[in-house]
Amino acid sequence: MKILAFSDLHHSASRAAALVEAARDADLVIGAGDFCNARRGLAEAMALLEGIAAPMVVVPGNAESDSELRGAARPGTEVLHGSGTEIGGLRLFGLGYGVPVTPFGTWSCDLTEADAETLLGRCAAADILITHSPPKGVADVTSQGIPVGSTAIHAAIERIQPRLAVCGHIH
């Protein structure tokens, strides 16, 4: 199975066009959150991905809520947030939002480590774990050199042992 995974589109038309082109050869497309900016322009951002024909599984980032993403997702797109699905014999589980809570203010959709641990506890097994936030210690260092990954996500990866873990959030 050919998987195309991306995150942090942030309403970029040029990056969306490149994704639509790359998705032509994909069997599955995974979006790890932040399709829009600060809870604005989500419907337009999702419309930029309409040329993707492969099944698509997404999680909300901290820039859009779970309900907002469900409302804006194109037909056939599976939105995961503390839930799982199976596609092509692969078990996928997803958790969105910023974990731990970000300093970005009230527009940001965030979870505490405890809340993330509770939602991730619903997953007994997964071939692919999709999170918006990175695990603590892996791909979690900001441009200012500060590690901001999630201990709950790191623990879930250790426990679940997925074949693939996909995350975004840190640019």
Side-chain angles (χ1 to χ4, degrees):
M1 177 178 282
K2 291 183 183 179
I3 299 171
L4 172 65
F6 71 96
S7 72
D8 297 271
L9 179 65
H10 289 293
H11 204 275
S12 170
S14 62
R15 291 189 341 198
L19 287 167
V20 170
E21 177 65 28
R24 289 187 180 162
D25 295 327
D27 299 308
L28 173 63
V29 176
I30 295 173
D34 277 3
F35 300 94
C36 64
N37 293 302
R39 315 272 295 272
R40 289 185 291 248
L42 181 57
E44 296 84 358
M46 297 307 287
L48 294 172
L49 301 173
E50 284 182 1
I52 295 175
M56 194 153 92
V57 176
V58 299
V59 299
N62 61 292
E64 61 270 332
S65 73
D66 177 42
S67 62
E68 291 164 349
L69 185 56
R70 288 180 192 283
R74 66 183 179 88
T77 298
E78 184 101 29
V79 179
L80 303 179
H81 183 59
S83 58
T85 192
E86 186 172 320
I87 295 178
L90 294 174
R91 297 165 299 169
L92 295 87
F93 190 90
L95 178 73
Y97 293 6
V99 183
V101 174
T102 70
F104 304 137
T106 58
W107 65 263
S108 187
C109 297
D110 300 315
L111 292 172
T112 65
E113 292 285 359
D115 289 339
E117 184 177 353
T118 297
L119 291 171
L120 289 164
R122 297 176 181 173
C123 181
D127 297 302
I128 302 174
L129 180 65
I130 309 158
T131 60
H132 178 61
S133 292
K136 186 76 168 174
V138 180
D140 73 334
V141 178
T142 68
S143 59
Q144 292 81 31
I146 302 167
V148 295
S150 166
T151 56
I153 292 171
H154 189 271
I157 291 171
E158 293 272 323
R159 176 178 56 81
I160 299 164
Q161 293 288 303
R163 293 168 48 191
L164 176 65
V166 176
C167 65
H169 191 46
I170 306 303
H171 299 203

